[in-house]
Amino acid sequence: MTPAPLAALGVDVGTTNTKVALAVFGDGVSEERTLSMPTPRTGDALQAVVLGALREVAIDSPHPIAAIGVASMGETGSLTGPGGIPRDDLLRWADGDTATADRLVAAVGAQTLYDATGVPAPHKSPLTHWLRLAAEGDARLDDAHWLGADGLVVSALTGEAVTDHTLAARTMAYRLPESGAPLAETFDHDLLGLAGLTPDRFPRVVLPGETAGSLTASAASALGLGAGIPVVVAGHDHAVGAWAAGAREPGDAADSVGTAEALLRIARGVSREEALREGMSLARCVDGRFETLLAGNPTAGALVEWAFSELIPGADRHDVLQQARLLADGPLDAFVLPYLRGRQSPAPDATATVRLVRSGTDAGAAPVASADPAAALTAVLTGLALQLAWMDAAQSRLAGPRRDKLAVLGGPGAGNGAWWRLKQRLVPGVLRRADVAEPVATGAAMLAVHRVAGLTTSLPLSSADTVASVGDPALLDAFVQAAAPEQKETA
């Protein structure tokens, strides 16, 4: 007998946009309704926007809502006052303070901090935000607590101050256990002590398999739902999307693209010294079983937007994308080094910039406007695809045998035909796109029903246009030599 379908709501709070989805799980996964809106700048506005969007997508659900799952970007959050009320603007990962982070690293040591947290970029972390505000004498800190973007949404739904281990790991205040050891149930006293804080200022950490709480009567009324529906902190957006796409065992990998691009690989026993050297984060999977190795380009999708606004202003977006798709199958004689704000990984370099490289020669400090907008955009997208191939090669060195399949999770990296084709050509293995509009929001709903009902499934992955590729080792080598001449090898 086929079990009755289950419906769930999912939330994905992203850097640029926040998405919600109503998903139904039966024989497979069906996105019944999705909604996307710009992510607000303040915590209270974020709560109001998400509640309104959840109400809109939940209207006339074909099945009762069994659970609500919440995923979000890492690092971003808000100071909260008495009663958990958010204060002022969100403190965002993109607004991190390098000078404060440098002082923290100098005082503690980069490897010591990384061994404790798995975080290679402390300037983005809430702990660094807190240290900066304390140095400025900000009076708001006197009675303040911290809630991440996920916690702000969960608090509005349940009244509870809660997060999960994958998002706690992004704060630099949560200790990463050794591979195979149990996850910590609280934020770390010694790490918080670096900022003069105690764990009571931070939310409760729920472990894999636990729920965050239940929908309160007031939240239920606002959503038009019944009270008591379980709410789950699904976790860090990249980790949730990877799990939802079936990346759950060592060697599995997923590529997630939005404003930033993240390549997440399931691993075990990665050297923390080598991972730090390559600028990659270490954490645990959403289910807590294995470690995750995360490499990122923080301005991937942002670079495409930059190209249209700065490199080829006034170009017809639709026409240029169509022409670039045709060029993506032709000779690739130019690429752009895709570093709007330095390079995070591999070979971290805060001074790395956007540069055009043509026929193996550095063409200057920035891309030169081209008489052919499609050729200029193709060079940008080629650079982004080669950056992904470089991250993938570096992960293969750190985390064991090269994976043969890669799940690509929505966003501009999957929907942009030229970018997708270039990834297929330049990244080894078989790439398969998640066949849903909002893989992280739907993944959050999926993880919620997994936690509350034991349902295990995964997102559908398109197989219509899969291509097995060996990549382009010569072009990748040229890219790495242009990006980081000190690198001796790429694979």
Side-chain angles (χ1 to χ4, degrees), residues 40-179:
R41 300 291 301 186
T42 65
D44 54 355
L46 175 64
Q47 292 175 325
V49 163
V50 171
L51 262 63
L54 285 170
R55 181 182 181 90
E56 185 171 340
V57 299
I59 291 174
D60 299 326
S61 170
H63 307 282
I65 303 298
I68 302 172
V70 180
S72 82
M73 58 186 152
E75 292 97 9
T76 295
S78 176
L79 298 176
T80 64
I85 298 174
R87 288 177 167 169
D88 304 319
D89 286 353
L90 294 172
L91 297 174
R92 302 165 66 89
W93 67 265
D95 302 327
D97 180 56
T98 301
T100 301
D102 288 347
R103 289 192 293 271
L104 177 62
V105 170
V108 180
Q111 191 65 56
T112 298
L113 276 175
Y114 188 87
D115 288 345
T117 66
V119 177
H123 67 281
K124 300 191 296 183
S125 72
L127 194 70
T128 301
H129 280 305
W130 204 294
L131 282 166
R132 174 183 60 82
L133 293 173
E136 295 170 354
D138 196 313
R140 294 176 303 167
L141 299 184
D142 293 345
D143 61 351
H145 291 68
W146 170 266
L147 279 180
D150 65 305
L152 291 167
V153 174
V154 170
S155 174
L157 296 173
T158 69
E160 301 282 345
V162 178
T163 191
D164 93 313
H165 69 282
T166 65
L167 287 161
R170 308 302 303 176
T171 64
M172 289 201 70
Y174 181 79
R175 189 168 295 273
L176 176 65
E178 294 299 323
S179 179

Side-chain angles (χ1 to χ4, degrees), residues 14-17 93-94 257-261 297-303 341 412 419:
T15 302
T16 303
N17 294 304
W93 67 265
V257 186
T259 301
E261 180 165 24
N297 177 359
T299 56
L303 184 68
R341 294 199 300 268
W419 196 355

